[in-house]
Amino acid sequence: MTTKPINLWSSPDHARDYLERADSISHRTEGEAALLEFIPLDFDGTDFDRQTPLRILDLGTGDGRLLALLKEHLARRDRPQPAALAIDFSPSMLEAAGQRFARDSSV
C-alpha cells in the first residue's frame, strides 16, 4: 500500500504555527551565523570581486527570514544589494515574505 504525501505547507494554519515558533528553534541563530560566514565579500578597493553575490535564489524562502539576514549582512559590510528571487509553494509563506519585502524592489 502506498500512502500519498501530504503537503502541510499549503495549510495556512501549519505555516502560521511554524512562524510563531520559528524563533525558538534550537541552534537556529548559530546555523544562520555559520552560513553567513561562507558568503564571499572580497573587495579590491576599486571594483567588487566576482565572488561578491549579485543575485540570490532562495528556494523554500518561507517568510524570507534567511534572505533578509543575508541582505542585512551584505549591507552592514557596504556591499551592493543583490537582486533576489524568493520561491516557495506555500501561499501563506509567500504572503509573509511579500509583507517582509514590500518596500524592497530588489526582491
Side-chain angles (χ1 to χ4, degrees):
M1 181 170 142
T2 307
T3 60
K4 242 183 175 177
I6 298 173
N7 176 9
L8 296 176
W9 293 105
S10 61
S11 162
D13 290 336
H14 182 76
R16 186 192 66 249
D17 290 345
Y18 170 79
L19 292 174
E20 287 174 357
R21 65 182 171 79
D23 288 335
S24 65
I25 294 173
S26 278
H27 306 290
R28 182 176 186 163
T29 55
E30 292 94 336
E32 292 165 343
L35 175 69
L36 293 177
E37 289 178 16
F38 287 96
I39 303 302
L41 297 171
D42 296 339
F43 183 68
D44 68 7
T46 58
D47 195 8
F48 287 92
D49 187 276
R50 290 178 191 232
Q51 291 184 0
T52 300
L54 299 176
R55 290 182 299 259
I56 299 169
L57 174 60
D58 187 2
L59 299 173
T61 196
D63 69 341
R65 173 193 169 103
L66 190 56
L67 180 55
L69 286 173
L70 176 55
K71 290 175 70 64
E72 290 168 13
H73 177 74
L74 293 169
R76 282 192 307 269
R77 285 152 181 82
D78 295 323
R79 299 304 188 248
Q81 284 297 296
L85 179 60
I87 297 175
D88 204 296
F89 60 80
S90 168
S92 298
M93 290 296 196
L94 286 173
E95 182 180 333
Q99 290 173 5
R100 180 185 297 268
F101 296 112
R103 294 190 173 122
D104 187 345
S105 63
S106 70
V107 178

